[in-house]
Amino acid sequence: MSRLRSVMHKGKRATAEVKETAKPLRKRCNAAVKEEDTNTISSSTYHTFHDPAEVVHIRSQLLNWYDKGKRDLPWRTVAMTEPDLNIRTYAVWVSEIMLQQTQVSTVINYYNKWMKRWPTVQDLAAATLEEVNQMWAGLGYYSRGKRLHEGAQKVVSELKGQMPRTVESLLKQLPGVGRYTAGAIGSIALGEISGAVDGNVIRVLCRLRAIGADSTSPAVTEALWSLANMLVDPERPGDFNQALMELGARVCTPKGPLCSQCPLQSHCHSYRKVHIKQEENSKRLLGKLDRMPSTQPDIEDCMNSGTCTLCPREPWDNELGVQNFPRKPVKKPPRVERTLTCVVVRSGDGGEDEYLLTQRPNKGLLAGMWEFPSLLLEGDNSEMKQKGALCAEVSRMLGVQFKKSLLLYVGEVVHIFSHIHQTYVVHSVCLKDCGADRQTQIENTQWLTRPALQEAAVSTGVKKILKLYDSMASQEEQTSKDGKRRKTSGVKNDNKQQTSKKTKFSAVNNGSRQLSLSSFFKTVKE
């Protein structure tokens, strides 16, 4: 009986472990399941970790490396020291959203300011979207801040102020939280045993197991999540996931990877493959390839490379080395747009310049952000037509008509979004020049002084436009000063010449002070 209980206990534990490993994985549609089944049949153990001892060794080596040289980051400090589970989960959530598509060095300052202003999810929920956009200004991908705000309001209104406690509930209940973000928050803040596959982890795992197929394909995506869940350390899941990300960010980089510093070098298929290729090339140059077969184990290729959904389709490139993995699909070129923009300036009540800004729609690119009056340029219109259209748009906003001849061309500013190559064709107009320094204005517009504009919820593109405008204004001011200086300098020179002439004339007619030439010779003769 005791033996039967023991067997039943082991069976339950094994089932629990399997469930725990599968827990973070998202339910897939039938097509994705079929894709994974095909992958299981056609892929060999070459692309996975079939030896449990190797998995244990990888965990140990990676965590030792991480403990010795990990970066001191504010969200890591909160995750390690904050006893309140709700605050800890919220803090990690904020950091993970900010870190999406954004470098760590850029995020640190924004994160510290954010947490100082809104230290709890309740504080964020009480803020306005305008305040959130203002805080997020310059960080890019502005919908992220809006999703954080919406999520905080949902936590307070629907979840009684309690952050979700599992990977699955994070994924379901928080807007803007996907599979990776849920896994990262769950493992780092809550200690959930879940992998977390971001861009850095994709690169590390693809190189470790020589996965060269399109890294965005369903087969590769599922394979990488399977590897991540297999490798994650059950005792330190959060640290392990962060260590894997750290390795990708600092050592196993997209270009110029530092393989000599990698703690997982001995487990890396792509690193070993590079050396085998180098050995083959050397032998080929010496003409000894057939006579001297390699004594190293044949791990160069997957056993099913012809049908494997994880093997690369492109031929090996010797110049790339380990950078042959992963292979990414060719990016679709960004859409090219040109936008007419006008910097409208007026004199404020205190004599300080004020700038007209208009608010973008609540949905779409740069939703809810403030910008200078702008008009998307469609078709190849002449400069006069462009000015006319821009002048009409500004006039509509202000309810004041002015001539397009008052629009001054400032220059062009290029700003790159993830999917748009944007060129702002910048003009400016000073309202006092057209006799409309005070006027009515339509909804969703406001006048801001320079200090207020610097603190407003504006994009990096707007700041670039303002910098260009300042440069032009500075050049005009300098040109004006130079013109006045030359004019003043010319008057002074004329005066000097006149003074000189007067002095000479006076000297000739004043014998008591200076003799004339004829008087001088006459005096000598005498």
Side-chain angles (χ1 to χ4, degrees):
M1 181 65 72
S2 60
R3 183 178 298 176
L4 178 60
R5 286 178 179 174
S6 176
V7 171
M8 290 176 65
H9 176 69
K10 288 181 180 179
K12 288 180 179 179
R13 186 173 63 184
T15 303
E17 288 178 353
V18 171
K19 287 182 178 178
E20 186 67 30
T21 302
K23 190 177 182 180
L25 297 179
R26 179 188 289 173
K27 293 181 181 179
R28 287 156 284 158
C29 62
N30 293 334
V33 172
K34 289 180 181 179
E35 184 74 40
E36 185 181 28
D37 291 341
T38 304
N39 178 45
T40 304
I41 295 172
S42 61
S43 300
S44 69
T45 55
Y46 176 68
H47 297 298
T48 188
F49 299 96
H50 56 85
D51 184 359
E54 184 181 21
V55 172
V56 172
H57 196 230
I58 286 174
R59 291 171 179 168
S60 175
Q61 286 182 304
L62 185 59
L63 286 171
N64 286 338
W65 171 82
Y66 179 71
D67 290 338
K68 291 177 182 178
K70 64 183 176 184
R71 290 172 291 181
D72 184 17
L73 302 174
W75 45 88
R76 287 179 178 171
T77 302
V78 174
M80 292 177 62
T81 60
E82 177 54 59
D84 189 307
L85 186 62
N86 216 46
I87 294 177
R88 187 167 73 238
T89 307
Y90 163 71
V92 174
W93 174 38
V94 172
S95 71
E96 287 299 331
I97 298 299
M98 285 189 172
L99 287 165
Q100 291 173 2
Q101 304 293 324
T102 310
Q103 294 182 350
V104 168
S105 57
T106 302
V107 169
I108 291 175
N109 190 40
Y110 280 90
Y111 179 82
N112 288 333
K113 288 181 179 179
W114 183 287
M115 294 304 297
K116 184 177 180 180
R117 185 166 183 178
W118 301 306
T120 68
V121 69
Q122 288 79 7
D123 294 323
L124 177 58
T128 65
L129 181 57
E130 176 70 16
E131 290 173 328
V132 171
N133 285 337
Q134 185 176 344
M135 179 69 75
W136 200 275
L139 196 55
Y141 298 92
Y142 296 94
S143 61
R144 295 180 295 167
K146 183 179 180 181
R147 295 289 178 269
L148 268 174
H149 187 239
E150 290 175 350
Q153 291 182 327
K154 182 177 180 180
V155 168
V156 170
S157 63
E158 299 180 21
L159 305 179
K160 299 180 180 179
Q162 297 299 306
M163 292 289 295
R165 293 288 193 266
T166 64
V167 171
E168 185 177 359
S169 59
L170 285 163
L171 188 60
K172 288 182 178 179
Q173 295 176 334
L174 294 183
V177 171
R179 192 175 183 181
Y180 157 74
T181 306
I185 299 171
S187 61
I188 296 170
L190 303 171
E192 290 263 293
I193 304 174
S194 168
V197 180
D198 72 344
N200 287 318
V201 174
I202 288 173
R203 185 166 54 257
V204 171
L205 294 180
C206 281
R207 289 175 180 172
L208 278 175
R209 296 294 93 173
I211 297 175
D214 178 2
S215 59
T216 63
S217 68
V220 173
T221 298
E222 292 306 321
L224 294 174
W225 273 97
S226 177
L227 292 175
N229 285 308
M230 182 188 301
L231 287 177
V232 65
D233 192 304
E235 301 296 326
R236 300 174 61 186
D239 285 343
F240 182 85
N241 285 334
Q242 290 182 94
L244 210 54
M245 296 176 211
E246 186 102 337
L247 185 68
R250 301 176 65 187
V251 176
C252 195
T253 53
K255 296 181 180 180
L258 306 174
C259 295
S260 61
Q261 300 178 23
C262 181
L264 305 183
Q265 184 192 100
S266 60
H267 301 278
C268 184
H269 280 358
S270 59
Y271 179 78
R272 293 165 67 184
K273 186 167 184 173
V274 168
H275 283 268
I276 288 177
K277 290 292 185 181
Q278 289 175 344
E279 182 180 331
E280 287 181 356
N281 291 336
S282 297
K283 291 176 181 177
R284 188 173 288 108
L285 288 173
L286 296 173
K288 300 179 179 180
L289 185 61
D290 295 332
R291 289 177 293 169
M292 295 180 59
S294 174
T295 57
Q296 297 187 47
D298 185 16
I299 56 92
E300 182 182 352
D301 289 308
C302 167
M303 295 298 291
N304 303 318
S305 58
T307 57
C308 179
T309 56
L310 305 182
C311 284
R313 297 290 179 264
E314 297 84 359
W316 176 267
D317 187 336
N318 286 320
E319 293 184 2
L320 289 177
V322 297
Q323 295 175 53
N324 277 280
F325 307 98
R327 291 294 178 90
K328 294 184 178 180
V330 178
K331 285 186 178 181
K332 184 180 179 180
R335 184 170 75 250
V336 177
E337 288 186 358
R338 290 176 67 83
T339 298
L340 298 172
T341 302
C342 188
V343 180
V344 184
V345 187
R346 76 175 185 185
S347 295
D349 294 331
E352 189 175 4
D353 284 345
E354 294 180 342
Y355 301 84
L356 178 65
L357 281 93
T358 179
Q359 192 171 32
R360 291 182 63 86
N362 290 326
K363 293 183 179 180
L365 183 68
L366 305 176
M369 303 294 285
W370 293 88
E371 65 181 3
F372 294 118
S374 299
L375 196 63
L376 182 64
L377 182 60
E378 297 178 345
D380 297 328
N381 295 322
S382 66
E383 183 179 349
M384 292 305 293
K385 286 185 178 180
Q386 292 179 21
K387 278 191 173 184
L390 187 59
C391 185
E393 178 66 11
V394 175
S395 297
R396 182 189 66 82
M397 290 181 180
L398 301 175
V400 174
Q401 295 295 326
F402 59 89
K403 297 179 181 179
K404 59 187 176 184
S405 59
L406 291 173
L407 286 178
L408 300 178
Y409 175 74
V410 178
E412 294 188 355
V413 169
V414 175
H415 187 65
I416 308 298
F417 296 95
S418 59
H419 59 295
I420 300 174
H421 185 284
Q422 181 68 262
T423 300
Y424 295 103
V425 183
V426 186
H427 293 78
S428 69
V429 63
C430 186
L431 292 187
K432 60 185 178 183
D433 293 338
C434 57
D437 208 22
R438 282 291 176 269
Q439 63 291 306
T440 57
Q441 60 192 69
I442 64 173
E443 191 179 358
N444 295 332
T445 61
Q446 62 175 339
W447 290 95
L448 294 179
T449 61
R450 175 56 65 92
L453 176 54
Q454 296 289 0
E455 297 298 323
V458 298
S459 67
T460 303
V462 170
K463 293 180 179 179
K464 287 182 179 180
I465 292 169
L466 191 60
K467 186 176 181 180
L468 176 66
Y469 172 78
D470 286 343
S471 176
M472 183 206 70
S474 177
Q475 288 177 3
E476 287 185 348
E477 184 179 355
Q478 186 63 40
T479 302
S480 177
K481 286 182 179 180
D482 290 343
K484 289 180 179 179
R485 190 178 296 115
R486 283 194 296 269
K487 186 176 180 181
T488 305
S489 177
V491 171
K492 288 182 178 179
N493 288 339
D494 289 342
N495 290 337
K496 285 182 179 179
Q497 290 175 3
Q498 291 176 6
T499 303
S500 178
K501 288 179 181 179
K502 288 180 179 179
T503 303
K504 290 180 181 179
F505 180 77
S506 176
V508 171
N509 291 280
N510 190 350
S512 63
R513 293 188 180 180
Q514 184 175 349
L515 293 173
S516 66
L517 189 59
S518 58
S519 300
F520 171 76
F521 283 113
K522 185 178 181 181
T523 304
V524 172
K525 287 179 181 179
E526 291 177 349

